[in-house]
Amino acid sequence: MHKLYFHRDPKRGVEETYNWLVDEVKELGEALRMLDNKALENEFADVIAWLASLANVANVDLEKAALNKYDSRCPKCKRSPCQCTF
Amino acid sequence: MHKLYFHRDPKRGVEETYNWLVDEVKELGEALRMLDNKALENEFADVIAWLASLANVANVDLEKAALNKYDSRCPKCKRSPCQCTF
């Protein structure tokens, strides 16, 4: 995503990129109520693409952030599979 | 995420998992307005974790969906970097 879109992302800015992400999450919600699996896959792809663009604009390494918190264990109970009782 | 949480995710169901994702996206929006980079990384990690859980519950391969649509080229103009003029 960085290579594909970073030349454009910073011009859009954090707030507008976040608003795009929110719109894509809404579209994902609508697709979840349909029975069109291809459309659903498309919406999941769009959400992760906009999340990656937002991370780029906010100067966050998305992969590193995810692995730091969830790398093969639950961040709360520290086990895999998670054994939290809540 | 599948290994960590899939034993619990299906019990929660698609709708409730989606609602958790929406809540995490809101928290990400709040974190973007703060100056705490560690908190921001945490929120990005939570959004991608819930997105992965939602994909598991909805029986979608998130990585495959993303790569099918965005694998090294823009899905609209088919170029990398994207050269769409909109």
Side-chain angles (χ1 to χ4, degrees), chain A residues 45-85:
Chain A
D46 286 345
V47 170
I48 205 164
W50 280 100
L51 186 65
S53 280
L54 182 60
N56 288 336
V57 177
N59 208 22
V60 166
D61 184 327
L62 183 59
E63 187 176 356
K64 193 174 141 198
L67 290 176
N68 276 350
K69 185 159 185 182
Y70 289 99
D71 189 19
S72 305
R73 54 174 177 67
C74 171
K76 290 190 180 125
C77 71
K78 315 288 183 200
R79 295 185 184 184
S80 177
C82 163
Q83 293 178 31
C84 291
T85 51

Side-chain angles (χ1 to χ4, degrees), chain B residues 3-86:
Chain B
K3 187 181 166 199
L4 263 182
Y5 294 121
F6 193 67
H7 61 298
R8 182 171 301 147
D9 287 339
K11 289 177 207 156
R12 191 187 314 104
V14 168
E15 195 171 330
E16 200 179 333
T17 307
Y18 177 77
N19 290 340
W20 271 99
L21 173 65
V22 170
D23 285 346
E24 291 297 343
V25 170
K26 285 181 193 160
E27 288 181 17
L28 175 60
E30 290 159 15
L32 284 164
R33 290 193 287 271
M34 311 295 176
L35 292 171
D36 181 345
N37 210 53
K38 186 70 200 160
L40 184 57
E41 285 182 3
N42 254 319
E43 294 304 333
F44 270 106
D46 285 346
V47 170
I48 204 165
W50 279 100
L51 186 65
S53 280
L54 182 60
N56 287 336
V57 177
N59 208 22
V60 166
D61 184 326
L62 183 59
E63 188 177 356
K64 194 175 141 199
L67 290 177
N68 276 350
K69 185 159 186 181
Y70 289 98
D71 190 19
S72 306
R73 54 173 177 67
C74 170
K76 288 187 182 125
C77 70
K78 315 288 183 200
R79 296 185 182 182
S80 176
C82 163
Q83 294 177 32
C84 292
T85 52
F86 60 87

Side-chain angles (χ1 to χ4, degrees), chain A residues 2-75:
Chain A
H2 191 282
K3 188 181 165 201
L4 262 183
Y5 295 120
F6 193 67
H7 61 298
R8 182 171 301 149
D9 288 339
K11 290 176 206 155
R12 191 187 314 104
V14 168
E15 195 170 328
E16 200 180 331
T17 307
Y18 177 77
N19 290 340
W20 270 98
L21 172 65
V22 170
D23 285 345
E24 291 297 343
V25 170
K26 284 180 194 161
E27 287 180 18
L28 174 60
E30 288 158 18
L32 284 164
R33 289 192 287 272
M34 311 294 175
L35 292 171
D36 182 344
N37 210 54
K38 187 69 199 161
L40 184 57
E41 285 182 3
N42 255 319
E43 294 305 333
F44 269 106
D46 286 345
V47 170
I48 205 164
W50 280 100
L51 186 65
S53 280
L54 182 60
N56 288 336
V57 177
N59 208 22
V60 166
D61 184 327
L62 183 59
E63 187 176 356
K64 193 174 141 198
L67 290 176
N68 276 350
K69 185 159 185 182
Y70 289 99
D71 189 19
S72 305
R73 54 174 177 67
C74 171

